Amino acid sequence: MSVLILGGTREAATLARACANAGVRDCLVSLAGRTAAPQALPLPVRIGGFGGVEGLVRFIRAEGVTGLVDATHPFAARISAHAVQAVAQTGIPALALHRQGWVKQAGDIWLEVADLAAAVTALGIRPRRVFLTIGRQGLPAFAAAPQHHYLVRTIEPVGDALAVPHLAELNARGPFDARAEAELMARAQVDVLVTKHSGGASTYGKVEAARMLGLPVVMIARPATGHMPATQSVDEALAFVAAHGGM
Ligand code: NAP
């Protein structure tokens, strides 16, 4: 009997540490396997997709999962939608642990767009110096706008994900501080930032830096993921795990 934590985020790692510290150990963290060297977690970890909704339902039944926490990234829409359906089919209790969205402040210049394709369009035709921080998986969309100079920051190497003539690459994992972000953006003469509206504190520095430098931000909206009771509190998620079998 255990609680399944769908992870791959800082929030999931924080919850895993909180569970371990509280002696709540009978839980399992699931990762998609996108990063070659994921952060070490103090709980059992399984890696790889389940095989759609059916696979997740099978897993829940076979492993006797007694509760599910969806602590995936707000843009991991497919696994979250699968979780909603699998929970409905199996009747297990579930909770989403999702980070708080960012709130636009005075001085922010946000061009809010619905998706990656709209972000590419929002950059326009004139060549610009773009700081692209949307994760490796989203990079291929920007091949449609090869006229820009891209500074791309990803955790994993870009590899062949974006073949454009002007590309500089940084591989780093947050958190990123606003002052350092501003220095980086000024040094690279960035004139527009492209980001997902991920929310949370650890990647907010670039948004603050853009405000400090008076730069526009192409802000990609969060996708809809279906309905599940939700919290932004790791303590509440820990209480959920403890209450639903993770002891
Ligand atoms: P996604 O598009 O929602 O999911 C695609 C497929 O990957 C799912 O159908 C599922 O495969 C598998 N999958 C995703 N998350 C999984 C998990 N935690 N455990 C097991 N299988 C998982 O997901 P994504 O956007 O590629 O994100 C993958 C992972 O990276 C997630 O854990 C997410 O939290 C993390 N992440 C994503 C972003 C982002 O911007 N999207 C940013 C930071 C971290 P099956 O259908 O075979 O089960």
Side-chain angles (χ1 to χ4, degrees):
M1 305 279 265
S2 65
V3 172
L4 176 64
I5 300 171
L6 301 174
T9 57
R10 193 168 295 273
E11 289 72 22
T14 306
L15 175 59
R17 280 192 289 275
C19 288
N21 290 341
V24 177
R25 290 182 182 280
D26 190 10
C27 16
L28 179 66
V29 180
S30 176
L31 304 176
R34 300 280 187 274
T35 46
Q39 279 178 301
L41 296 174
L43 292 179
V45 173
R46 68 162 296 285
I47 297 181
F50 296 97
V53 180
E54 300 73 25
L56 182 53
V57 167
R58 256 196 318 275
F59 183 90
I60 289 170
R61 291 192 171 130
E63 300 298 322
V65 171
T66 49
L68 179 146
V69 177
D70 177 7
T72 58
H73 190 273
F75 280 76
R78 200 165 345 144
I79 187 70
S80 292
H82 290 178
V84 168
Q85 292 177 59
V87 162
Q89 287 184 34
T90 55
I92 60 168
L95 182 70
L97 171 62
H98 281 158
R99 59 188 78 167
Q100 192 166 18
W102 297 321
V103 178
K104 197 172 170 187
Q105 310 281 312
D108 280 334
I109 309 163
W110 287 6
L111 290 117
E112 292 174 82
V113 298
D115 53 29
L116 285 166
V120 175
T121 305
L123 290 176
I125 292 167
R126 181 176 58 85
R128 303 173 85 177
R129 298 185 68 85
V130 182
F131 187 23
L132 195 50
T133 63
I134 44 93
R136 188 178 183 281
Q137 287 188 82
L139 292 177
F142 291 84
Q147 71 275 29
H148 304 300
H149 288 246
Y150 292 100
L151 172 61
V152 177
R153 183 169 62 204
T154 47
I155 295 176
E156 296 292 310
V158 169
D160 57 4
L162 180 57
V164 288
H166 312 290
L167 184 146
E169 174 175 356
L170 278 175
N171 300 130
R173 194 193 292 269
F176 301 107
D177 157 78
R179 192 177 299 269
E181 293 285 67
E183 280 168 17
L184 170 67
M185 288 157 74
R187 204 168 48 243
Q189 298 177 297
V190 163
D191 52 31
V192 59
L193 165 69
V194 181
T195 179
K196 292 174 172 173
H197 188 156
S198 301
S202 74
T203 58
Y204 187 57
K206 62 191 170 186
V207 180
E208 289 183 279
R211 185 189 312 134
M212 284 155 59
L213 298 172
L215 296 180
V217 179
V218 176
M219 184 68 74
I220 304 171
R222 290 178 171 198
T225 54
H227 295 292
M228 188 180 279
T231 184
Q232 293 167 358
S233 157
V234 169
D235 286 346
E236 278 182 29
L238 172 61
F240 174 93
V241 175
H244 293 289
M247 293 299 281

